[in-house]
Amino acid sequence: MPSNITKPAAASISTTSSTATSTAISTTSPSLPIAVVDDDQALRESLVWLLESVGLATHSFGNGELFLSTNSSEYGALLLDVRMPGMSGLQVQQQLVDQHAALPIIMMTGHGDVPMAVAALKNGAFDFIEKPFNHQQLIDVVQQALGSAALHRQSREQRIMLQERYQALRPKEQRIVAHVAEGMTSKEIAKHMQISGKTVEVYRLRAMKAMGAANLAELVRQAVALELVPPLTADE
């Protein structure tokens, strides 16, 4: 989509903002590059220059088909033009949604494309920005998307680790974890499972150690995260 944006001069970003941005990036050290998808070559080059000037590796694509031929998990965020020849930005986004891609998408829109951008937000896009861009605003939005993606990856990795620890428990230990999270006392669990109270305590302590739970409250939170029990509601 054509745009009147040209490659920014270095002086167009204030020294203070640039320094702060660079510091934030170096602290978080995102390892995954940004993907830029737009049919306007001049705009792509401008965006690549801008993002790389603050330390963000960037890969650009002239259309959605080229981007979809790559592995979306190799990117930290996606800058995607809404209106392009061939596949539109919304169609590219839908394919990523269908693939369950955990990639924050920032839609780039022209003045008349705001309704399309709103539709993209409803479909899970991280944000949208209108052309012509404010350079610092664009960098800030990209950084926010990277931060969101990092938290999502960390949460997913923690859940996988938790599932692995739970699956490594013995069947009776798994049942006790679930019963503890249901609010049952050791005496009730012993009666329900037809074992002694002392055995319940041994299994529970062993399960807590294996799960890395420092106390019962943490064990319950882990059980809720694993969906062994439904989460508590405000009324409970």
Side-chain angles (χ1 to χ4, degrees):
M1 182 176 180
S3 170
N4 59 356
I5 300 174
T6 57
K7 181 181 289 188
S12 65
I13 301 177
S14 70
T15 304
T16 303
S17 299
S18 179
T19 302
T21 302
S22 299
T23 302
I25 292 171
S26 63
T27 302
T28 54
S29 299
S31 57
L32 298 177
I34 311 301
V36 175
V37 180
D38 198 298
D39 61 301
D40 184 342
Q41 182 177 352
L43 177 60
R44 291 199 310 273
E45 292 176 353
S46 175
L47 288 172
V48 169
W49 184 93
L50 176 62
L51 294 172
E52 291 188 346
S53 73
V54 293
L56 293 172
T58 309
H59 296 170
S60 66
F61 303 86
N63 56 63
E65 291 88 345
L66 281 174
F67 172 73
L68 289 173
S69 68
T70 68
N71 184 353
S72 64
S73 66
E74 296 178 353
Y75 301 97
L78 170 62
L79 281 166
L80 178 63
D81 190 22
V82 166
R83 193 183 298 274
M84 297 180 290
M87 291 186 72
S88 70
L90 293 181
Q91 290 173 320
V92 173
Q93 180 194 24
Q94 187 58 54
Q95 285 215 21
L96 293 172
V97 170
D98 293 343
Q99 295 169 10
H100 304 288
L103 180 68
I105 301 174
I106 302 167
M107 306 300 293
M108 301 184 290
T109 72
H111 178 68
D113 296 328
V114 173
M116 296 176 69
V118 172
L121 289 176
K122 291 180 178 179
N123 201 22
F126 180 79
D127 205 344
F128 76 91
I129 50 177
E130 287 189 77
K131 302 174 182 178
F133 308 123
N134 173 287
H135 301 150
Q136 192 59 50
Q137 180 187 14
L138 184 143
I139 292 170
D140 290 344
V141 171
V142 169
Q143 285 185 311
Q144 291 166 13
L146 288 172
S148 174
L151 288 175
H152 183 81
R153 284 195 302 272
Q154 183 181 23
S155 175
R156 185 172 67 248
E157 290 167 359
Q158 289 176 342
R159 181 178 174 82
I160 291 172
M161 180 180 67
L162 204 57
Q163 288 173 329
E164 291 174 346
R165 289 178 177 177
Y166 178 74
Q167 292 301 325
L169 297 178
R170 297 175 183 180
K172 284 186 178 179
E173 291 171 349
Q174 292 179 348
R175 288 178 62 188
I176 287 173
V177 169
H179 289 325
V180 168
E182 289 166 353
M184 295 175 66
T185 65
S186 293
K187 185 176 180 179
E188 290 170 336
I189 295 172
K191 182 178 180 180
H192 181 74
M193 295 181 63
Q194 297 184 335
I195 56 178
S196 69
K198 184 176 180 180
T199 301
V200 170
E201 290 300 311
V202 170
Y203 281 160
R204 179 178 62 79
L205 291 173
R206 187 184 295 164
M208 288 176 62
K209 183 177 180 180
M211 295 289 289
N215 49 52
L216 279 178
E218 187 172 356
L219 187 67
V220 172
R221 285 195 294 269
Q222 290 175 339
V224 172
L226 290 168
E227 299 180 353
L228 303 180
V229 292
L232 293 175
T233 63
D235 297 331
E236 293 181 297

